Amino acid sequence: LGINTSGPACDVAVCEAGQILAERNEGMVRGQDARLAALVEEVVTEAGYSLADLQRIGIVTGPGSFTGVRVGVAFAKGLALALDIPCIGVTSLEASLPDGQQGSAIVLLPAKRRPPDISYWGQRFRTGKATGAPEELGLDDLAAELSAHPHFVFGTGLEALSAVVPGLKTHEAAPSAARVAHLAATAADAAASANPVYVRAPDAALPGGRKP
């Protein structure tokens, strides 16, 4: 079972032996906590199984929506505990990288989107394996790095980056529950951490303007 609630959607998929048996992506800005459990049951049933048949759960741990990540991770870990099966964390950048990618690659998803404070969540890979943790990367730093050290660039919302790096070739890619399910099924480490990956502190403030 793969689950992705790191963006504005409830995204769920079930795979077996490398084949996606059922998947559903329902767009929603809020309400994932109310919809996720029923959606998981629907997709598992559509795949021809019951929850008790699941062997692994993969969950996108972020970075992404703070609330969405918390909802998804809490649900996935709770379900895995109840079923006594592994819950495997996959970052939103790992869940965006296409299968079989070769060479040096970087995956970028929008973080800050308002000029001039544009930044991306980024993670670097070598032949499909992460070489570092997710981080927040500013537009200028990214432009300098990619100009000096070319990579395959995957992600979404890359127009601002393309505008400052002449000739940059990018490949559209986004996290999906189907990719998460595949990664969870093939993970060598079934105990991979399923804790939220926030990269930076939340923007929310407590009453009186105090930071959490």
Side-chain angles (χ1 to χ4, degrees):
L1 172 68
I3 300 172
N4 174 30
T5 55
S6 64
C10 264
D11 186 15
V12 176
V14 172
C15 83
E16 180 180 36
Q19 300 295 316
I20 298 300
L21 302 183
E23 61 182 319
R24 194 92 58 82
N25 186 312
E26 296 186 1
M28 58 186 70
V29 176
R30 56 180 61 87
Q32 291 162 317
D33 55 336
R35 179 63 178 132
L36 182 56
L39 184 61
V40 165
E41 188 169 18
E42 290 169 14
V43 173
V44 171
T45 299
E46 184 180 332
Y49 290 102
S50 69
L51 293 178
D53 295 315
L54 295 175
Q55 295 181 348
R56 291 186 177 189
I57 297 174
I59 177 65
V60 172
T61 55
S65 161
F66 285 95
T67 301
V69 166
R70 287 197 298 273
V71 166
V73 169
F75 175 83
K77 292 177 77 169
L79 181 58
L81 181 64
L83 298 175
D84 193 26
I85 59 175
C87 183
I88 297 167
V90 179
T91 72
S92 52
L93 294 314
E94 289 173 314
S96 301
L97 188 70
D99 190 27
Q101 181 273 325
Q102 300 294 311
S104 297
I106 186 168
V107 179
L108 302 169
L109 299 173
K112 295 178 182 176
R113 309 183 187 213
R114 294 183 181 177
D117 297 322
I118 294 177
S119 65
Y120 293 90
W121 308 124
Q123 190 170 15
R124 297 171 182 82
F125 298 85
R126 179 73 181 175
T127 314
K129 301 295 184 182
T131 59
E135 57 186 313
E136 186 174 8
L137 301 166
L139 185 60
D140 291 341
D141 289 340
L142 263 176
E145 177 182 350
L146 292 174
S147 296
H149 306 287
H151 286 65
F152 290 103
V153 180
F154 298 90
T156 61
L158 301 177
E159 297 81 7
L161 181 59
S162 297
V164 297
V165 183
L168 180 68
K169 186 176 181 180
T170 63
H171 306 273
E172 188 74 14
S176 71
R179 180 69 176 143
V180 175
H182 174 72
L183 290 172
T186 57
D189 182 7
S193 173
N195 296 318
V197 176
Y198 292 135
V199 180
R200 60 177 159 89
D203 297 324
L206 296 171
R210 293 176 294 130
K211 281 291 185 180

